[in-house]
């Protein structure tokens, strides 16, 4: 029989042992919050070995994998957690998160419902179901309104169970922030800070909220407050870096200084994490946002040398190589990414860069197909139509180029430029075949040039009048009984060009074309030989090789020379 003293001693041993394990889990959770994922992973792997019956250890290890974009590994670990405890609400929440990333809607519903059903009076499963809805699953990494609403609904239910769960309050604030409900977001962040004044995450979340309101000074102060609580809290520096980047884009005068500051803050963030491959990957994502492709190529090249690296490094290599005009290495890298990546990890932008690289290497036909694939997956990337149009134009497939530019002008919104309309018109003009006439091309060309002319009335765009004249000349069906559709546009072209002063050599030929056309109209339609001779003389003076002028004076037997 064990004595009372022995029982007491044994109890102390067990209590002490339990305390050590609990503290270890708490430390692992702190490492996750600080985005020290490699450290957290190592601690949690130890815990799942030493405490194989505690399902919570498995959940947090799986959550580390989720944060590192290893959904398949996370799924394995969550299932082990459920094997350890079939009523583990947290691990069902984890399986729901994996299902979301895998776009398995049925699995999302089943697992989240099970998590909530098993949660009882524990708000923590509600927190992670809510956070799972906030995981980015789109190419732009934005939370959809439907997902945000689902997160708000489940987190509100969790708040009713425990209104003092700081992690839940921050998650609820994040959900509100994602749908631009700033007051509600601030209220939850403020409640979290009041309940736990020493929580740096609540300060950082408030700073992010201010960032999106372009209150950059207020945002910086929140990050400083977070670092005053914990000088080694890496996420504060990461969010500070991303705030600097937004600041640089919002205020051009601050751009240079803020981009430099952003890079410095991100390096500080890296120094406070475990310098894992995943941290470097996040740095690579930041460099894409910052447009620093030279540094990105260096970082990605270094990462590719690691045996344990994530295949996603080939995406970064491809993007950087394209932007740095290293096209062949870029195409090799993007093709390797497509070979190695789980198809669920391919995003529309991957096809965009693959298509760009193919076109840059003169593989236009396959490149256009790839760009069209990118558009099929993400129709918001309207700039891609312009890239397709340029490729078609370069191949002299003018009608297709016109159609692509038409897509730009119809769907491009605020990013559409007048030059897009102009090239739409030029493409349709060159795409018109007099041997197999398609008058709809002329109609579209005329409409495009008309739009440019209307929008540049205060500062006339000469070439729009020139090409509109050419288009209208093609509308003449009877060359022996010309109507003069092009006359007002050639006249306006002459007026605009002459108002600008002496023309260059290229413009002289276009002016000669305009004068020769007017000469023809005066000769055959207006029957005014004096004006015909005057205009043909101007055409010949500007361009001695102009065929219409030469033919006119040849018929006249040289009359009018010197005029």
């Amino acid at each position: 029989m064990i004595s009372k003293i022995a029982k007491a001693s044994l109890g102390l041993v067990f209590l002490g042992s339990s305390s050590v394990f609990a503290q270890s889990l708490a430390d692992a959770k702190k490492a996750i919050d600080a985005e020290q994922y490699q450290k957290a992973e190592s601690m949690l792997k130890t815990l799942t070995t030493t405490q194989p019956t505690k399902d919570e250890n498995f959940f947090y290890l799986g959550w580390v994998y989720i944060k590192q974009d290893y959904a398949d590994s996370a799924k394995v670990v969550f299932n082990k957690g459920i094997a350890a405890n079939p009523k583990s609400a947290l691990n069902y929440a984890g399986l729901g998160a994996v299902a979301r990333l895998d776009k398995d809607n049925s699995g999302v519903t089943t697992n989240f419902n099970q998590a909530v059903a098993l949660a009882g009076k524990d708000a923590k499963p509600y927190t992670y179901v809510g956070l799972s809805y906030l995981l980015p699953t789109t190419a732009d990494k934005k939370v959809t309104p439907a997902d945000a609403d689902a997160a708000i609904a489940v987190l509100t239910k969790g708040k009713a169970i425990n209104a003092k769960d700081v992690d839940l309050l921050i998650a609820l604030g994040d959900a509100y922030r994602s749908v631009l409900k700033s007051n509600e977001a601030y209220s939850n962040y403020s409640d979290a800070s009041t309940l736990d004044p020493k929580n740096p995450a609540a300060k950082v979340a408030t700073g992010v909220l201010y960032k999106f309101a372009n209150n950059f000074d207020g945002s910086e102060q929140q990050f400083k407050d977070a670092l005053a609580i914990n000088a080694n809290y890496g996420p504060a520096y990461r969010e500070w870096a991303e705030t600097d980047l937004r600041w640089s884009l919002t205020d051009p005068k601050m751009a240079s200084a803020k981009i430099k500051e952003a890079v410095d803050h991100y390096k500080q963030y890296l120094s406070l994490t475990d310098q894992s491959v995943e941290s470097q990957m996040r740095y690579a994502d930041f460099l894409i946002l910052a447009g620093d492709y030279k540094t990105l190529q260096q970082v990605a090249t270094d990462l590719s040398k690691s045996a344990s690296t994530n295949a996603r490094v080939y995406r970064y290599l491809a993007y950087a190589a394209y932007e740095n005009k290293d096209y062949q290495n870029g195409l090799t890298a993007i093709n390797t990414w497509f070979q190695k990546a789980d198809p669920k990890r391919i995003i529309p932008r991957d096809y965009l860069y693959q298509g760009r690289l193919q076109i840059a290497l003169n593989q236009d036909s396959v490149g256009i197909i790839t760009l069209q694939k990118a558009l099929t997956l993400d129709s918001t990337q309207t700039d891609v139509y312009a890239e397709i149009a340029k490729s078609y134009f370069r191949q002299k497939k003018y009608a297709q180029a016109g159609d692509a530019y038409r897509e730009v002008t119809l769907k491009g919104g605020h990013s559409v430029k007048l030059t897009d309309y102009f090239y739409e018109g030029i493409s349709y003009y060159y795409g018109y075949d007099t041997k197999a006439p398609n008058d709809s091309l002329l109609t579209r060309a005329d409409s495009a040039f008309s739009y440019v002319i209307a929008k540049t009335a205060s500062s006339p765009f000469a070439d729009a009048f020139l090409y509109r004249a050419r288009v209208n000349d093609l509308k003449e069906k009877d060359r022996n009984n010309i109507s003069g559709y092009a006359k007002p546009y050639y006249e306006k072209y002459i007026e605009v060009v002459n108002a600008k002063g002496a023309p260059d050599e290229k413009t002289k030929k276009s002016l000669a074309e305009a004068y020769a056309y007017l000469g023809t109209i005066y000769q055959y339609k207006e029957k005014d030989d004096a004006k015909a001779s005057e205009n043909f003389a101007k055409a010949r003076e500007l361009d001695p090789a102009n065929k219409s002028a030469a033919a006119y004076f040849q018929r006249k037997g040289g009359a009018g020379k010197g005029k």
Side-chain angles (χ1 to χ4, degrees):
M1 178 179 287
I2 302 176
S3 68
K4 291 182 179 180
I5 294 177
K7 285 182 180 180
S9 299
L10 189 60
L12 288 173
V13 170
F14 284 140
L15 180 62
S17 177
S18 176
S19 176
V20 170
F21 285 136
Q23 183 61 47
S24 295
L25 179 58
D27 287 345
K29 290 165 72 173
K30 286 180 181 178
I32 295 172
D33 183 48
E35 298 178 11
Q36 296 171 338
Y37 297 128
Q38 190 168 311
K39 177 181 178 181
E41 181 182 346
S42 177
M43 295 170 70
L44 288 162
K45 280 183 175 179
T46 299
L47 280 171
T48 57
T49 300
T50 57
Q51 289 183 306
T53 61
K54 289 195 174 291
D55 58 286
E56 202 174 5
N57 297 331
F58 290 97
F59 168 73
Y60 284 105
L61 178 57
W63 193 253
V64 169
Y65 288 139
I66 288 286
K67 300 298 287 184
Q68 295 179 100
D69 197 29
Y70 296 123
D72 291 341
S73 298
K75 185 176 183 178
V76 171
V77 175
F78 292 140
N79 278 318
K80 287 183 178 179
I82 291 170
N85 177 9
K87 295 184 178 181
S88 176
L90 277 174
N91 281 288
Y92 277 109
L95 287 178
V98 172
R100 277 204 74 245
L101 295 175
D102 288 344
K103 297 179 173 57
D104 174 11
N105 293 331
S106 176
V108 170
T109 301
T110 299
N111 287 294
F112 284 166
N113 285 348
Q114 185 72 344
V116 169
L118 293 170
K121 296 297 182 180
D122 183 3
K124 197 62 66 181
Y126 289 88
T127 299
Y128 281 95
V129 170
L131 287 172
S132 297
Y133 276 119
L134 299 178
L135 291 171
T137 59
T138 58
D140 60 8
K141 296 187 177 182
K142 292 181 180 178
V143 179
T144 67
D147 286 336
D149 288 343
I152 290 168
V154 73
L155 289 167
T156 300
K157 290 178 181 177
K159 188 175 180 179
I161 293 171
N162 183 0
K164 295 184 179 182
D165 187 314
V166 172
D167 292 337
L168 187 147
L169 291 172
I170 295 173
L172 185 52
D174 290 347
Y176 279 122
R177 188 186 73 218
S178 69
V179 286
L180 306 179
K181 293 185 176 181
S182 300
N183 290 337
E184 292 86 345
Y186 180 81
S187 177
N188 281 283
Y189 294 149
S190 180
D191 288 347
S193 284
T194 300
L195 287 165
D196 185 1
K198 296 298 183 182
N199 189 315
K203 299 292 186 185
V204 170
T206 305
V208 174
L209 181 66
Y210 288 163
K211 173 184 76 173
F212 287 113
N214 289 345
N215 178 5
F216 300 119
D217 291 327
S219 186
E220 281 192 343
Q221 188 57 55
Q222 291 295 320
F223 301 139
K224 290 176 182 178
D225 290 347
L227 291 167
I229 294 169
N230 180 356
N232 296 318
Y233 191 66
Y237 282 107
R238 177 178 55 73
E239 291 293 357
W240 198 346
E242 293 177 7
T243 297
D244 285 330
L245 181 58
R246 183 180 174 95
W247 197 340
S248 74
L249 296 172
T250 305
D251 186 352
K253 293 179 181 178
M254 300 287 287
S256 179
K258 285 300 170 184
I259 288 175
K260 181 181 182 302
E261 192 174 297
V263 172
D264 289 342
H265 282 138
Y266 215 100
K267 288 178 179 177
Q268 185 71 14
Y269 161 72
L270 288 174
S271 73
L272 293 171
T273 66
D274 41 30
Q275 294 288 351
S276 65
V277 168
E278 286 68 35
S279 295
Q280 295 290 328
M281 290 283 190
R282 191 155 190 171
Y283 182 40
D285 286 327
F286 170 78
L287 291 170
I288 291 174
L289 290 174
D292 187 352
Y293 292 100
K294 183 177 180 180
T295 303
L296 177 64
Q297 194 159 18
Q298 295 171 352
V299 170
T301 299
D302 291 342
L303 281 169
S304 68
K305 297 174 183 177
S306 171
S308 61
T309 195
N310 189 312
R312 197 166 80 241
V313 69
Y314 292 103
R315 170 189 286 162
Y316 301 131
L317 282 171
Y319 290 9
Y322 172 78
E323 299 294 347
N324 294 325
K325 296 182 170 54
D326 184 9
Y327 299 129
Q328 188 56 63
N329 283 329
L331 186 59
T332 299
I334 199 67
N335 288 341
T336 302
W337 166 240
F338 275 100
Q339 291 165 9
K340 290 179 174 289
D342 185 321
K344 296 190 292 292
R345 300 290 174 255
I346 302 297
I347 61 176
R349 189 165 55 181
D350 296 335
Y351 289 103
L352 176 60
Y353 272 93
Q354 185 182 46
R356 287 171 171 171
L357 287 160
Q358 289 163 339
I359 288 172
L361 291 168
N362 298 316
Q363 300 174 22
D364 289 79
S365 296
V366 66
I368 286 173
I369 293 172
T370 307
L371 290 180
Q372 288 170 335
K373 173 74 171 177
L375 279 170
T376 300
L377 296 171
D378 183 5
S379 60
T380 66
Q381 298 291 323
T382 52
D383 287 349
V384 180
Y385 288 114
E387 296 182 49
I388 293 172
K390 289 174 185 177
S391 181
Y392 275 133
F393 196 91
R394 188 166 53 248
Q395 297 176 76
K396 298 183 179 180
K397 295 180 178 179
Y398 297 119
Q400 293 98 316
D403 289 342
Y405 275 118
R406 186 173 174 79
E407 293 288 347
V408 176
T409 59
L410 289 174
K411 300 177 180 178
H414 294 298
S415 66
V416 178
K417 302 179 288 293
L418 279 177
T419 50
D420 295 324
Y421 285 96
F422 183 69
Y423 279 105
E424 177 188 344
I426 284 181
S427 298
Y428 282 132
Y429 166 71
Y430 284 122
Y432 182 78
D433 185 353
T434 55
K435 295 179 180 178
N438 179 351
D439 288 349
S440 68
L441 298 183
L442 294 182
T443 300
R444 288 182 175 181
D446 192 55
S447 176
F449 293 130
S450 175
Y451 183 86
V452 174
I453 289 169
K455 290 296 181 180
T456 58
S458 60
S459 180
F461 184 14
D463 280 356
F465 290 104
L466 176 65
Y467 276 96
R468 195 171 187 195
R470 290 171 176 174
V471 166
N472 278 273
D473 189 39
L474 286 174
K475 291 181 179 180
E476 300 282 5
K477 299 302 182 185
D478 185 356
R479 305 308 298 186
N480 294 318
N481 187 24
I482 196 166
S483 298
Y485 298 137
K487 183 174 181 287
Y489 306 114
Y490 274 125
E491 288 176 332
K492 188 65 178 178
Y493 174 72
I494 292 169
E495 175 191 328
V496 171
V497 170
N498 285 336
K500 293 182 178 180
D504 58 25
E505 292 304 311
K506 180 181 178 183
T507 305
K508 283 181 180 180
K509 289 188 176 183
S510 297
L511 271 176
E513 172 192 327
Y515 281 119
Y517 176 87
L518 293 178
T520 301
I521 292 298
Y522 283 118
Q523 181 182 14
Y524 293 107
K525 186 175 186 296
E526 305 292 341
K527 309 299 183 184
D528 187 336
D529 194 57
K531 285 193 174 183
S533 181
E534 177 187 344
N535 280 280
F536 278 124
K538 289 178 179 178
R540 184 175 62 179
E541 182 180 348
L542 287 161
D543 180 14
N546 184 278
K547 292 180 180 180
S548 296
Y552 173 81
F553 287 113
Q554 185 176 11
R555 288 193 300 272
K556 289 288 185 180
K561 287 183 179 179
K563 291 186 179 179

